Amino acid sequence: MARFNRWLQQALPEYRLDQVNLKLNTLRPKLDGHLRLALVESIPGDSTLGLSLSSDLTESGIAVSELSLRLDDETLLSGQATLPILLGLDVDEEAATTAYWKLLPKAPLLGKFSGALNPTFRQWLQDQYRIEMQSGRIEVDLSGTLESPVGAFSVVLEKLYRRPEAEESAMPIMELVEIELDASPEALRLNPFQIRMRDAALQGQLMLPTQSLSSLLDRSSGQLSWQTLFAEAEGRVE
């Protein structure tokens, strides 16, 4: 309760919606249209955190032609993506409308992103969430389809730490968090990853056959089938 009360006392972030442009050509049974928006948040130190997004909704998926996260005049994250996800609306016999989404295993998949932290954003993380980090970077380069993906995803974080509140225990400083995922038509491989702390280390690797992607989704309920995931994945952690 004490933590909840402190959260209520915090000042709400100041958001500003600079631009919204939504055009829908069709609503049912499939969404088809275009969305463009620009969102800005004022953060301590007279800085602004801005998010820009431009995307098309089509029967082949969601095509994000622009995604940019900026702090003042510096880009933290930028890239493009094509997500093989179909969005739509169903109307039943009683005229009730239900939104749905569907994965498209054979539709194009694309993800090209890169980003890194700068000193101002690291200071904002400290002030807002008590998270301290020396450096961080992310790289994504994916293509192909869900059935046959190709590419890589990597995240590297150095000196990650969260300052505890009065009643919390201090968490250990993570000297290094290094994760790299390779995708191929045969398998998704989480390459030997490592999480190093001052007196300990966690490392391992994981492999999931690519063909399992189509069975991870229970089409009847729309929920991930974790039983399938654990049954077909191979790996080790030590």
Side-chain angles (χ1 to χ4, degrees):
M1 182 60 71
R3 182 179 301 177
F4 180 71
N5 289 337
R6 282 194 300 272
W7 177 78
L8 289 177
Q9 295 170 2
Q10 291 180 353
L12 294 176
E14 297 181 6
Y15 294 102
R16 184 178 74 247
L17 199 56
D18 276 2
Q19 179 185 17
V20 178
N21 184 357
L22 176 62
K23 178 183 178 182
L24 293 177
N25 301 318
T26 60
L27 284 173
R28 299 188 301 265
K30 303 171 185 178
L31 286 180
D32 182 279
H34 176 79
L35 171 64
R36 182 174 182 84
L37 64 84
L39 183 67
V40 176
E41 176 188 353
S42 298
I43 64 176
D46 297 325
S47 293
T48 56
L49 188 64
L51 173 67
S52 299
L53 171 70
S54 180
S55 64
D56 291 301
L57 309 177
T58 72
E59 62 180 12
S60 298
I62 303 173
V64 181
S65 58
E66 176 194 352
L67 177 61
S68 176
L69 181 65
R70 300 178 62 86
L71 181 60
D72 294 334
D73 295 328
E74 295 187 55
T75 299
L76 298 174
L77 177 70
S78 64
Q80 300 173 329
T82 299
L83 307 176
I85 300 175
L86 177 65
L87 303 178
L89 296 174
D90 271 338
V91 180
D92 60 22
E93 297 177 354
E94 299 179 356
T97 302
T98 303
Y100 73 90
W101 62 275
K102 178 183 178 182
L103 289 180
L104 305 172
K106 298 183 182 298
L109 168 68
L110 172 69
K112 292 186 179 295
F113 294 96
S114 62
L117 298 183
N118 64 19
T120 305
F121 189 71
R122 293 202 305 271
Q123 186 62 51
W124 177 75
L125 287 175
Q126 292 181 31
D127 297 338
Q128 194 76 9
Y129 302 106
R130 309 193 318 278
I131 294 176
E132 299 183 10
M133 194 184 314
Q134 179 174 297
S135 66
R137 61 184 183 274
I138 180 173
E139 296 286 342
V140 179
D141 188 356
L142 293 174
S143 60
T145 65
L146 283 179
E147 289 185 339
S148 184
V150 178
F153 166 88
S154 67
V155 175
V156 178
L157 307 175
E158 294 183 279
K159 302 287 187 181
L160 177 62
Y161 176 69
R162 185 173 186 269
R163 298 195 313 273
E165 293 185 340
E167 71 278 10
E168 294 179 335
S169 300
M171 67 168 284
I173 298 176
M174 295 185 182
E175 301 287 346
L176 177 67
V177 177
E178 189 172 23
I179 299 173
E180 182 176 326
L181 175 69
D182 285 335
S184 71
E186 293 75 33
L188 301 179
R189 290 183 172 85
L190 182 61
N191 292 331
F193 66 89
Q194 57 176 327
I195 301 176
R196 292 207 316 261
M197 292 169 279
R198 180 172 299 176
D199 300 319
L202 178 68
Q203 56 187 2
Q205 57 187 22
L206 180 69
M207 187 278 292
L208 176 67
T210 302
Q211 63 183 6
S212 300
L213 280 177
S214 58
S215 60
L216 284 180
L217 190 68
D218 184 348
R219 299 179 187 274
S220 62
S221 64
Q223 300 296 318
L224 289 176
S225 174
W226 295 108
Q227 182 178 0
T228 301
L229 173 65
F230 291 129
E232 301 195 11
E234 300 178 3
R236 62 175 180 82
V237 177
E238 58 186 25

